[in-house]
Amino acid sequence: GDSVTQMEGPVTLSEEAFLTINCTYTATGYPSLFWYVQYPGEGLQLLLKATKADDKGSNKGFEATYRKETTSFHLEKGSVQVSDSAVYFCALGSFQKLVFGTGTRLLVSP
Amino acid sequence: SQTIHQWPATLVQPVGSPLSLECTVEGTSNPNLYWYRQAAGRGLQLLFYSVGIGQISSEVPQNLSASRPQDRQFILSSKKLLLSDSGFYLCAWSPPGTSGYEQYFGPGTRLTVT
């Protein structure tokens, strides 16, 4: 079945460091891809999305590019802030359902 | 604007006791509704989803059940809780007639079964 694999965390960075969180997927067909973020004490919220190969999703300084050839959708940010500390979930959309990865916790220190 | 509510926020229940978690959505009609469980060290697992009143699809066979008695109300229940039911339960909604991939999540309920 469809699945999503994310790098294990936590990822610990200093403020203004470069962030990469790896995500790869396995799916039949051509799924849509998403990053959701869960801030402490809150539910998940959509961060960005890409619906077809080579699309780049972006929001709040975060970016991810849909790479069909490597079945990847890595999340990047050039300069993280303390307020970016959260759990990040990669997900794929297939047959009107979302399949989530296990989540990667990001900790940013001042 | 739309808002989603879940309650209670936290719950501690003994093994074998019943469970009822409630989720309501405001500001939209006929939303798609979802129940997820987030267990420690694991991703979100879709438990149930509903595209309309009385229409429930189950994704994982277990001792939980869901009901949608009203358009914007989604209830997760169990007759007898197991230790393995502990986790973080999230309700979500998506606009009707869409792919269902852009979902809006509630704040969740932390359930501990003792």
Side-chain angles (χ1 to χ4, degrees):
Chain A
D2 296 347
S3 64
V4 174
T5 302
Q6 287 182 240
M7 60 189 293
E8 289 202 23
V11 174
T12 303
L13 296 173
S14 297
E15 207 165 24
E16 299 183 3
F18 184 86
L19 168 71
T20 299
I21 299 178
N22 290 337
C23 170
T24 57
Y25 67 90
T26 301
T28 53
Y30 304 99
S32 296
L33 299 174
F34 305 84
W35 278 100
Y36 277 79
V37 58
Q38 185 178 29
Y39 296 104
E42 300 182 13
L44 279 72
Q45 54 186 274
L46 179 63
L47 180 60
L48 55 83
K49 66 177 182 180
T51 57
K52 61 183 187 297
D54 300 324
D55 268 2
K56 178 185 283 188
S58 61
N59 186 23
K60 299 181 181 180
F62 291 89
E63 293 183 340
T65 300
Y66 189 141
R67 301 286 189 199
K68 192 177 83 169
E69 62 276 12
T70 54
T71 62
S72 65
F73 193 55
H74 305 321
L75 183 68
E76 297 182 334
K77 187 175 186 182
S79 177
V80 294
Q81 305 300 311
V82 173
S83 57
D84 293 327
S85 297
V87 180
Y88 292 82
F89 291 89
C90 186
L92 67 81
S94 178
F95 298 100
Q96 297 185 312
K97 299 171 197 170
L98 285 173
V99 175
F100 287 89
T102 53
T104 302
R105 183 174 299 277
L106 170 65
L107 300 171
V108 181
S109 56
Chain B
S1 64
Q2 300 86 10
T3 55
I4 179 169
H5 304 279
Q6 280 187 251
W7 64 91
T10 60
L11 191 59
V12 180
Q13 293 282 95
V15 168
S17 64
L19 173 73
S20 181
L21 303 181
E22 189 164 342
C23 170
T24 59
V25 180
E26 296 177 355
T28 185
S29 296
N30 197 31
N32 302 315
L33 295 171
Y34 310 84
W35 277 112
Y36 290 89
R37 176 169 58 203
Q38 185 179 12
R42 302 181 63 179
L44 273 73
Q45 179 185 38
L46 179 63
L47 302 175
F48 301 94
Y49 69 95
S50 171
V51 299
I53 295 175
Q55 300 179 60
I56 309 292
S57 295
S58 172
E59 290 296 300
V60 183
Q62 56 204 326
N63 70 319
L64 298 172
S65 62
S67 62
R68 185 171 178 172
Q70 299 180 40
D71 181 42
R72 292 169 290 174
Q73 184 185 30
F74 205 24
I75 297 173
L76 183 69
S77 304
S78 174
K79 292 181 180 178
K80 289 186 177 182
L81 283 169
L82 306 173
L83 284 175
S84 58
D85 292 325
S86 293
F88 192 52
Y89 288 82
L90 288 161
C91 182
W93 72 276
S94 67
T98 65
S99 65
Y101 300 151
E102 295 188 39
Q103 297 180 14
Y104 303 86
F105 286 77
T109 295
R110 175 78 58 193
L111 171 65
T112 303
V113 182
T114 60

